[in-house]
Amino acid sequence: MREILRQRPLRLIFIANAVSMVGSGVNSAAVSWYILQATHSEMALGTLVMLTTIPAMLMMPFTGVIIDREDRRRLVMLLDAARATVILIVAVLALRHHVHLWQLYAMQLLVSAGFWMFWPTVTALIQELTPDAEFVHANTFLLAGIQGGWLMAGALVGFIYDHVGLGGVLLIDVSSYIVSFACYFAVRKGRVVVERPVEPAADTAEGAVARFLAEMREGISFLRGRTYVLMLGISWSLFIAGMLAQAVVSPSLSERILHAGARGYGFLNAGWAVGAFLSAWYAPWAIRAMGARRSVAWSMSLLAVSLYVMPHSRVLAAAVALYAIMGSARGVGGVAISSSMMEIVPKHFMGRVQNTFYFAATALQMALAFAVGAVSHRIGLAWGFAIIGSIYLISALTSWWPVPEEARMTAAAD
């Protein structure tokens, strides 16, 4: 673990993501709360989540190749600058009381496009910079920074939203992107790309396009016959989709069941972040003790059970405790999956392999957001929580699906 802290580039990345997560956390919570207050409809929140998947569906088949080809640090800086610009425009509109729902939808759509390219790029960059024996610790520190930032965001949005409004919250997000950009700028100098197998030169535009398409197919071909990677990746996709779909029901839990308002929503976010942040201290131990696959299975199962129980918690303190348990499970499961992927996927394939599973997660998220929003609004919030819990349960079963030992060894060797 000390080896990770000695790596200046990794320290800067962890700081950047912690600060960035403060901004992203308050942005997400404030926009969700604003839309719920304006519409009083889970369908509107479901629409918000569903719309954020559209650019990802269009981009992901191509961005994996870009992540594997280009300097990942520069890509992250470009994404930070672009998202900050979009959010700043909407913040000014909100401060002048000229913001409309469609503008918030458009902002989240564009920011989401950056998000779905940002995280695969950051993960690939961390894999690139981390010594092979330190993947678990690197992911643990990344998680601690992210959830530490989310913890601050959860506390901030619950207590400042009524004072500074949506515009003020969005300006906090813009400031976080500026700090993140500066940290990534200091990670290293010059253009650096990962080493790749020798490739034939593409002298014509037609040859360049053909090579690009061939690289896309290589990412899919890598998964053929690698059952261990495939099943772990499916579990990852289900986990991501379920986690993002929680944004549809969490504000309504505070508003309709707990009657705690924005303050209660802030406490729920803070509870999740506390659990995830604390899990950074014991996630490496849990993964060593149980193994990666068992850690994922138990974590996803705990998330499922917590979501089944959640709508029946009528007291804010009980709901916050359950969110803390879910955050802890998210921490252990997320570190186990990310570390395993870093260990078994070659660096020059990481962008494409990740995007394959992120694409699947995005497609599922689109359907899930609509279904959860419609069911929660028309039938009952408890059913919305149950749908998300079932997704986590399927993720647990997928991660624990029997895989021959030789398949796991082959995946690791490749």
Side-chain angles (χ1 to χ4, degrees):
M1 188 170 290
R2 291 180 180 177
E3 180 64 26
I4 293 296
L5 293 176
R6 291 192 187 102
Q7 305 283 332
R8 180 174 178 271
L10 290 174
R11 287 202 311 270
L12 288 168
I13 291 174
F14 299 151
I15 293 170
N17 284 286
V19 174
S20 178
M21 189 52 61
V22 173
S24 297
V26 295
N27 180 325
S28 176
V31 170
S32 297
W33 189 255
Y34 182 92
I35 290 176
L36 180 65
Q37 290 295 294
T39 64
H40 302 286
S41 170
E42 289 81 17
M43 281 292 293
L45 293 176
T47 300
L48 174 68
V49 175
M50 185 175 65
L51 284 175
T52 60
T53 64
I54 293 175
M57 296 290 291
L58 297 175
M59 292 170 55
M60 278 190 196
F62 309 99
T63 55
V65 176
I66 296 172
I67 293 169
D68 288 337
R69 276 185 172 190
E70 301 299 327
D71 185 331
R72 291 153 177 176
R73 179 188 68 106
R74 291 186 175 182
L75 281 176
V76 170
M77 291 166 59
L78 177 62
L79 292 168
D80 275 350
R83 289 184 292 174
T85 302
V86 171
I87 295 168
L88 179 60
I89 293 170
V90 179
V92 172
L93 291 173
L95 289 170
R96 299 182 64 184
H97 305 289
H98 292 158
V99 72
H100 300 287
L101 284 182
W102 73 265
Q103 293 163 340
L104 295 177
Y105 284 138
M107 178 189 75
Q108 293 299 89
L109 188 146
L110 293 172
V111 171
S112 172
F115 167 85
W116 284 109
M117 188 171 182
F118 176 86
W119 283 111
T121 307
V122 169
T123 304
L125 179 60
I126 290 174
Q127 183 201 33
E128 177 187 336
L129 297 172
T130 302
D132 289 347
E134 299 291 338
F135 287 137
V136 171
H137 290 141
N139 278 287
T140 300
F141 274 113
L142 178 64
L143 172 72
I146 291 172
Q147 296 304 331
W150 194 265
L151 170 59
M152 294 176 63
L156 277 172
V157 76
F159 299 111
I160 70 171
Y161 181 83
D162 291 334
H163 300 287
V164 302
L166 179 63
V169 170
L170 293 180
L171 286 181
I172 293 174
D173 193 15
V174 173
S175 300
S176 73
Y177 279 117
I178 294 172
V179 175
S180 175
F181 183 96
C183 288
Y184 278 104
F185 181 80
V187 164
R188 65 189 181 198
K189 296 180 180 180
R191 183 175 184 270
V192 179
V193 297
V194 295
E195 294 184 7
R196 302 164 56 85
V198 177
E199 302 171 355
D203 296 328
T204 65
E206 183 180 354
V209 172
R211 184 58 199 163
F212 190 94
L213 295 175
E215 289 180 32
M216 289 174 57
R217 291 192 295 270
E218 285 175 0
I220 301 295
S221 299
F222 175 81
L223 297 174
R224 293 175 183 166
R226 293 174 172 85
T227 309
Y228 179 63
V229 182
L230 184 60
M231 300 307 290
L232 187 64
I234 292 173
S235 181
W236 197 9
S237 298
L238 292 166
F239 165 57
I240 293 170
M243 191 169 58
L244 294 174
Q246 287 174 214
V248 178
V249 293
S250 291
S252 296
L253 175 68
S254 179
E255 177 77 354
R256 290 171 48 187
I257 294 179
L258 301 174
H259 306 291
R263 185 183 179 92
Y265 185 40
F267 274 119
L268 293 176
N269 284 325
W272 172 280
V274 166
F277 181 76
L278 293 178
S279 73
W281 302 105
Y282 52 79
W285 172 83
I287 294 168
R288 283 195 304 269
M290 294 188 292
R293 295 180 72 225
R294 189 175 295 177
S295 298
V296 176
W298 278 107
S299 298
M300 298 303 108
S301 298
L302 189 56
L303 281 162
V305 172
S306 298
L307 281 163
Y308 289 140
V309 174
M310 185 66 69
H312 307 290
S313 57
R314 304 290 174 173
V315 179
L316 178 60
V320 171
L322 281 172
Y323 265 75
I325 292 171
M326 290 197 299
S328 179
R330 177 262 178 268
V332 175
V335 169
I337 293 175
S338 297
S339 302
S340 296
M341 285 293 182
M342 287 183 181
E343 290 172 357
I344 60 183
V345 177
K347 291 181 175 65
H348 64 280
F349 271 121
M350 193 63 173
R352 284 166 286 178
V353 171
Q354 279 189 107
N355 269 28
T356 299
F357 295 119
Y358 275 125
F359 183 86
T362 305
L364 177 60
Q365 179 197 349
M366 181 179 291
L368 193 59
F370 179 81
V372 170
V375 169
S376 298
H377 185 68
R378 296 173 182 173
I379 302 177
L381 196 58
W383 286 98
F385 275 97
I387 291 172
I388 302 171
S390 299
I391 293 297
Y392 283 128
L393 186 59
I394 296 171
S395 176
L397 296 173
T398 304
S399 67
W400 196 240
W401 195 266
V403 177
E405 185 66 28
E406 57 270 19
R408 276 177 272 174
M409 293 176 65
T410 299
D414 293 338

